[in-house]
Amino acid sequence: MTHQEISHQRLVSQKLYKTSQCSPEEIVKHFGAMQAQDYAMSKWAVGSRCDASEREIEEAINSGKIIRTHILRPTWHLVAAEDIYWMLDLSGPQVKRLFASLAKEHGYDEKKLDQVNSAIEKLLSGNNHLTRDEIMQELNIQKNAGDLSPVIVMMNAELDGLVCNGKMKGKQITYALLEERVSKPKTQLTKEEALAKLAQRYFESHGPATAADFSHWSGFSVTNCKSAINTIKLQLSRITIDNQEYWFGKNHSGLDNFRESVHFLPAFDEFLISYKNRESSISLEHQSKVFTKNGIFKPVILENGKVIGTWKRTSKKDYVKIETEFFNSIDGNKKQDLFKGINSFGNYMENKIVIE
């Protein structure tokens, strides 16, 4: 198997071929967690893999079928409601350790954070959904330049399983009590069971991938990730390329389903961001055009699993403007063929697309 074939197989595992009908929450469950710090782009990450519109995906998030919260690495992710508790139990303590020193620098030790959590719980109880600014105002926490108190306070509450996203208030994101949105399960997984479950979910949705890729995506050490893989290796398939082991799901249909394809993927999409080594999908010479050293990812144009350019959208009154930038010159006829890949985005937006 070649690196190009790896990229082809990932199109299948990441459901970019849309070989079966899936609801938005089924897409999110398949992935385990989908990076979501850019809220608008995260909705398209789901929409690009199913036939739901942006409005329908937002309804799934507003209703609590999909949860948006800080989990895994210290950033926002979308998680299926049925997975939120075991995943928080697994990754919450680890992420909290990562920002504990920052919290103390701003005057928040464990005792003070617990006190703030109690105050937040009183504010939000009774299905009261408030924006972060509204919560900070009630807590009398001033929004000063350079003060990360609002970020620290709300991220801690998320990682403790106290709060998650609430219903959108216009274009503003709100917070709500997690237990009022999703009932707590009666049983808990051990850390080993949860990490093994996360590993299986990752390799079935992202494979072929390596232990280093899983470590990069999950935030857990390579040693712990290899241990999890060893636990579930009989449920996975394995290939070796250049002395490197790649793992993927047993039910993977692989190259048998290969087809010519073009995808306009969102910023921070799982197809790129979830791997430590991305050379299977984008050549080294073009990587700086797509993502920065501090982790900012642009929306990309994918042809047969290979990144060939970037794009951006601008919402107008009656249409959505799309602008593209290709790495190499492309003639007019070829461009017209590639632009057909944006049609699904127009359906998703329920609006007319104009390419400039």
Side-chain angles (χ1 to χ4, degrees):
M1 182 179 292
T2 66
H3 285 286
Q4 183 65 46
E5 288 170 335
I6 288 174
S7 188
H8 292 163
Q9 292 212 43
R10 287 174 180 171
L11 288 171
V12 178
S13 62
Q14 293 222 1
K15 290 193 175 294
L16 284 166
Y17 280 160
K18 298 184 182 179
T19 53
S20 60
Q21 292 292 321
C22 292
S23 66
E25 55 269 30
E26 286 171 336
I27 292 293
V28 176
K29 181 182 177 181
H30 172 71
F31 279 88
M34 299 177 74
Q35 192 150 330
Q37 72 266 49
D38 186 322
Y39 180 57
M41 287 283 108
S42 70
K43 288 183 288 183
W44 173 230
V46 178
S48 63
R49 293 163 167 90
C50 65
D51 292 326
S53 65
E54 181 181 35
R55 174 178 48 81
E56 290 168 332
I57 292 167
E58 187 146 302
E59 285 175 2
I61 296 171
N62 279 337
S63 68
K65 294 177 182 176
I66 297 172
I67 300 298
R68 181 176 181 262
T69 191
H70 278 85
I71 207 165
L72 299 182
R73 308 177 310 281
T75 190
W76 275 288
H77 282 82
L78 299 179
V79 182
E82 62 189 271
D83 292 325
I84 186 62
Y85 284 109
W86 70 262
M87 212 174 285
L88 271 175
D89 288 344
L90 174 64
S91 69
Q94 173 173 271
V95 179
K96 284 188 70 170
R97 285 194 294 271
L98 293 175
F99 81 95
S101 59
L102 179 66
K104 287 181 180 178
E105 286 176 17
H106 286 75
Y108 291 92
D109 58 15
E110 194 170 329
K111 182 179 179 181
K112 187 171 182 180
L113 286 171
D114 286 343
Q115 291 171 343
V116 174
N117 273 359
S118 296
I120 292 173
E121 186 172 11
K122 290 178 182 177
L123 283 174
L124 298 180
S125 63
N127 286 301
N128 193 22
H129 296 204
L130 299 176
T131 67
R132 188 172 74 180
D133 285 348
E134 289 170 336
I135 294 170
M136 293 306 110
Q137 186 174 355
E138 292 292 333
L139 295 178
N140 198 28
I141 296 176
Q142 303 300 316
K143 190 178 179 181
N144 300 319
D147 185 5
L148 296 178
S149 293
V151 175
I152 291 167
V153 162
M154 296 314 301
M155 187 186 294
N156 178 75
E158 288 176 296
L159 294 168
D160 279 347
L162 177 65
V163 304
C164 64
N165 68 293
K167 296 178 181 179
M168 293 293 290
K169 188 177 287 188
K171 292 187 177 181
Q172 290 187 294
I173 292 167
T174 69
Y175 289 88
L177 293 181
L178 177 59
E179 286 193 43
E180 289 186 344
R181 306 216 82 196
V182 185
S183 298
K184 261 194 166 181
K186 295 179 181 179
T187 59
Q188 281 184 296
L189 300 177
T190 66
K191 180 178 178 179
E192 291 74 20
E193 289 170 338
L195 189 55
K197 184 173 183 175
L198 189 68
Q200 183 148 3
R201 197 75 64 86
Y202 174 78
F203 289 109
E204 288 178 348
S205 60
H206 295 78
T210 66
D213 291 328
F214 177 47
S215 173
H216 167 83
W217 178 82
S218 67
F220 290 93
S221 70
V222 173
T223 299
N224 285 338
C225 288
K226 286 182 176 179
S227 177
I229 292 169
N230 190 56
T231 301
I232 61 166
K233 64 183 180 182
L234 295 180
Q235 284 77 54
L236 298 176
S237 296
R238 175 178 58 180
I239 55 172
T240 302
I241 305 174
D242 298 332
N243 296 317
Q244 181 70 61
E245 287 185 329
Y246 289 79
W247 300 87
F248 52 98
K250 281 279 190 186
N251 295 326
H252 199 291
S253 56
L255 299 177
D256 294 340
N257 275 353
F258 172 70
R259 67 187 74 166
E260 297 286 329
S261 64
V262 177
H263 297 91
F264 282 66
L265 296 182
F268 303 100
D269 192 80
E270 291 289 313
F271 196 79
L272 282 184
I273 204 165
S274 58
Y275 305 99
K276 184 175 183 180
N277 187 322
R278 305 180 179 104
E279 290 180 50
S280 294
S281 302
I282 181 170
S283 60
L284 285 171
E285 63 178 308
H286 297 312
Q287 290 188 4
S288 62
K289 302 170 189 173
V290 172
F291 49 87
T292 64
K293 291 182 179 178
N294 61 341
I296 303 300
F297 282 69
K298 294 180 180 180
V300 297
I301 304 168
L302 205 66
E303 182 184 26
N304 298 332
K306 197 80 170 178
V307 179
I308 61 170
T310 60
W311 65 287
K312 64 179 180 180
R313 72 170 182 181
T314 306
S315 294
K316 301 292 185 178
K317 183 179 180 181
D318 299 318
Y319 65 95
V320 178
K321 182 176 76 172
I322 302 294
E323 298 172 86
T324 60
E325 186 172 340
F326 295 98
F327 299 151
N328 301 307
S329 60
I330 298 174
D331 66 43
N333 290 334
K334 173 71 171 177
K335 273 189 179 181
Q336 290 308 310
D337 288 338
L338 292 173
F339 287 155
K340 291 176 183 177
I342 199 66
N343 290 340
S344 60
F345 185 67
N347 296 334
Y348 160 82
M349 293 293 296
E350 298 178 298
N351 206 346
K352 183 171 71 173
I353 297 293
V354 175
I355 300 173
E356 295 188 0

